[in-house]
Amino acid sequence: MVETITNIYLVGVGGQGILLASEILSEALMLAGHDVKKAEVHGMAQRGGSVVSHVRFGSRVYSPIIPEGEGDILFGFELLETYRHLHFLRPDGRVIVNDLRILPPGVNLGLQEYPDAIAERISEAFADTTIVDAASLATKAGSERAANTVLLGALSRRLELDEAIWRQAITHMVPEKFRELNLRAFELGRAC
């Protein structure tokens, strides 16, 4: 019997709440009864470097690492980082990406240029691409810092998990003083 495993690859830049989003995602999946494995890479994250999280779930998962070319969903928090990791997706994979540009240090120092038309390049490479203006929706919810929860809302519409489970996971993982804000951000993301 072949066990079906779903692979979600999260990528962005340090400080965007990727690790919290990965924790909430994993919590929701476990509450739904899945076996979940997660791994993270965040070497220079505090200096604006890349942050990556692998989340795999199914009836039984043996490894937390998603092999290149086997990702089902690329869940991107920044356009260029998402573009750099497209090779992790399988050919019919899905992209959910924040419509946000964060300039890498080389661009800020004037040594490089930020590539043009990244959103268009992602959409051309993968037909099933959803671009989310998470910053605007998070601001509407009460704080731009809740963009990660907006993106989780967008992701939640593409996974077969009950909305109540997502809300339970957010309630469990987010400190009480930010809970209502994040639940509003999640709801706004679900409309994407």
Side-chain angles (χ1 to χ4, degrees):
M1 180 175 135
V2 176
E3 296 187 28
T4 302
I5 297 172
T6 302
N7 299 313
I8 303 175
Y9 191 87
L10 296 85
V11 64
V13 175
Q16 291 191 280
I18 297 163
L19 301 181
L20 177 60
S22 176
E23 291 288 332
I24 292 170
L25 170 61
S26 297
E27 177 77 7
L29 293 166
M30 287 188 289
L31 288 170
H34 294 286
D35 185 29
V36 180
K37 297 288 186 287
K38 180 171 78 70
E40 301 164 348
V41 177
H42 41 95
M44 295 296 285
Q46 292 183 342
R47 296 179 182 248
S50 182
V51 176
V52 171
S53 180
H54 301 241
V55 175
R56 306 182 79 207
F57 70 95
S59 57
R60 187 76 182 140
V61 181
Y62 295 100
S63 169
I65 304 298
I66 301 170
E68 286 189 23
E70 294 187 23
D72 295 290
I73 298 174
L74 178 57
F75 189 36
F77 289 65
E78 196 276 334
L79 287 166
L80 185 56
E81 287 299 316
T82 303
Y83 184 73
R84 287 182 348 102
H85 291 87
L86 287 177
H87 62 283
F88 272 90
L89 271 181
R90 63 181 193 193
D92 62 342
R94 170 179 283 168
V95 179
I96 299 168
V97 60
N98 190 8
D99 189 14
L100 177 68
R101 293 171 28 145
I102 296 177
L103 302 182
V107 174
N108 279 328
L109 293 171
L111 303 173
Q112 300 169 318
E113 290 186 17
Y114 194 97
D116 291 330
I118 293 297
E120 292 79 5
R121 292 184 200 188
I122 293 170
S123 296
E124 287 171 12
F126 288 91
D128 192 352
T129 294
T130 302
I131 299 172
V132 179
D133 185 358
S136 294
L137 293 173
T139 299
K140 188 176 177 181
S143 171
E144 189 174 344
R145 295 184 57 83
N148 58 344
T149 314
V150 169
L151 291 166
L152 281 172
L155 174 66
S156 74
R157 298 288 308 270
R158 281 111 183 135
L159 296 175
E160 293 183 18
L161 291 181
D162 189 87
E163 181 181 351
I165 289 175
W166 284 99
R167 297 179 76 79
Q168 184 181 354
I170 292 168
T171 299
H172 183 244
M173 303 301 293
V174 173
E176 186 175 352
K177 65 181 178 179
F178 301 115
R179 199 168 290 151
E180 286 306 315
L181 163 71
N182 278 276
L183 288 170
R184 282 194 305 273
F186 175 78
E187 197 59 42
L188 290 170
R190 282 185 60 82
C192 298

